[in-house]
Amino acid sequence: MEGMMPNMFLVSRSEENFLDNVWNHFYANHPIKDMEEKVAAIPLPNGVCGRQFTNNDVGWFCQDCQKDMNCVICQSCFENGNHNAHKVYLKRSISGCCDCGDHEAWNPKGFCKEHQGFIDEKSADVALLPDEIRESSIAVIKKLSLRLFSTLMCVQKAKEIPKSVGEETLSLLLIIKKISGISPIFMYEVSRNFLVQRDTYKNADKIVQLAKQQSLMNLIIKVSYKLTSKAKEELYNFCMEHLKSRDFKLGLAIAYLKYYTRILKDDDWHNNRIASLGCQILGGDETNSQILANPSCMNSLIKGINVVVEAFIASVSYTHLRAHETSLHLVCRLLLEKKK
């Protein structure tokens, strides 16, 4: 397990074939279906819905439960909740994800019976996994995370990203997301690997030594503007699916604000969905209080707001005005709360 990852990471493959190859490498005696059945049998507490909306999906808004006008829940959570006598309305073809279970976005009294709030992630620890797959699971997630970190270091250094590096970044994101989707246990372990400050590793080359200075979360947001369109889209989907983790959401919010001006370096940032993550991760009182205590976030906010204001003034199309208005609202809101 401590050797190098297989060369399959350098080859562009379909997501299904890529997953099969990685799985066979680490879990040769445990087919995917058997693993899913074993993990599904582990009782876990309810958490946050986080279901991503797609075209033609219906989203429900409740003026008695939502914390602001952007908060929304899915059809299933609305039907399984109690909104009698509430002021509700629905919209079709919305973006974002269901906020049911997130106390910063939705009043707990309006949670559905299936999603009762962020869970204590220790209650979904890898220690709950069967003995025969526990060590392999920890090892594969760690290895994939380290490989992604090293790949992103190459992205950070390169003026032009080689095609092979871009393909590897996309493939790694796909496989890590696929593993996370098997169970909340894997999702929380992935979240921990994204947030940990890497401080030791056997290999002493320069790339790995740099892992001592930052987390994978910070690095991936820092270089996100350099990624291909497909990789940006996959990173957005990855982040959205991991918002069920309270720690991941907070870590993402801090990284997002810390490197906000780098996100704005993207020439087409108006259409970059990573830039729109602020609508999902900012605004909650608990999150904002921790963000505003971070000096680097405040410095980035001040720089970012200048960029946004300049772009706002220079914009001429209504679509661009709306895009700038959204970002401007988010950063101004945090600054005003800091002032209070």
Side-chain angles (χ1 to χ4, degrees), residues 268 270-271 310-326:
D268 191 34
H270 311 93
N271 297 316
E310 290 175 2
F312 183 87
I313 294 173
S315 295
V316 292
S317 77
Y318 178 76
T319 301
H320 285 182
L321 283 172
R322 292 294 298 171
H324 294 309
E325 182 182 40
T326 300

Side-chain angles (χ1 to χ4, degrees), residues 204-261:
D205 67 44
K206 293 181 180 180
I207 289 181
V208 176
Q209 286 180 359
L210 286 171
K212 296 180 180 180
Q213 301 175 12
Q214 59 187 321
S215 67
L216 176 54
M217 175 73 80
N218 280 349
L219 179 59
I220 200 167
I221 297 302
K222 182 194 295 187
V223 304
S224 61
Y225 73 96
K226 288 187 172 184
L227 300 178
T228 64
S229 297
K230 288 183 67 175
K232 288 174 188 173
E233 183 69 19
E234 194 54 46
L235 175 58
Y236 171 84
N237 292 330
F238 177 90
C239 290
M240 291 291 285
E241 292 190 10
H242 284 74
L243 294 183
K244 299 175 186 178
S245 164
R246 182 71 188 88
D247 292 340
F248 185 94
K249 182 179 180 181
L250 177 59
L252 176 60
I254 292 175
Y256 176 88
L257 289 177
K258 186 175 182 180
Y259 300 110
Y260 185 64
T261 52

Side-chain angles (χ1 to χ4, degrees), residues 11-156:
V11 181
S12 178
R13 300 176 180 271
S14 70
E15 180 179 350
E16 184 176 356
N17 290 339
F18 186 57
L19 175 61
D20 287 342
N21 279 284
V22 173
W23 203 272
N24 290 335
H25 181 79
F26 288 99
Y27 300 102
N29 300 319
H30 303 284
I32 294 177
K33 289 185 178 180
D34 291 348
M35 168 77 84
E36 291 177 335
E37 291 176 359
K38 288 181 179 180
V39 176
I42 301 174
L44 296 172
N46 294 329
V48 176
C49 178
R51 177 178 179 271
Q52 287 193 63
F53 294 107
T54 58
N55 289 339
N56 296 321
D57 278 346
V58 169
W60 285 89
F61 298 80
C62 176
Q63 295 180 8
D64 295 278
C65 295
Q66 63 193 43
K67 294 299 180 70
D68 64 52
M69 63 181 182
N70 294 314
C71 301
V72 60
I73 59 174
C74 66
Q75 178 73 29
S76 177
C77 289
F78 178 78
E79 292 176 352
N80 289 311
N82 181 8
H83 297 277
N84 292 334
H86 287 191
K87 298 176 182 178
V88 300
Y89 61 98
L90 62 85
K91 287 184 179 180
R92 186 178 293 278
S93 298
I94 59 176
S95 59
C97 64
C98 177
D99 292 310
C100 188
D102 185 345
H103 65 275
E104 289 195 322
W106 208 257
N107 188 324
K109 294 181 179 179
F111 290 169
C112 77
K113 60 184 180 182
E114 298 295 330
H115 306 107
Q116 292 296 306
F118 289 106
I119 68 174
D120 179 0
E121 297 185 14
K122 293 181 180 178
S123 65
D125 191 79
V126 287
L128 297 174
L129 293 173
D131 294 341
E132 64 269 24
I133 61 174
R134 184 183 306 119
E135 293 303 318
S136 293
S137 300
I138 294 173
V140 70
I141 292 173
K142 180 180 179 180
K143 285 288 189 181
L144 288 167
S145 299
L146 283 169
R147 182 64 179 236
L148 180 57
F149 190 99
S150 296
T151 303
L152 292 172
M153 287 302 305
C154 295
V155 172
Q156 179 175 258

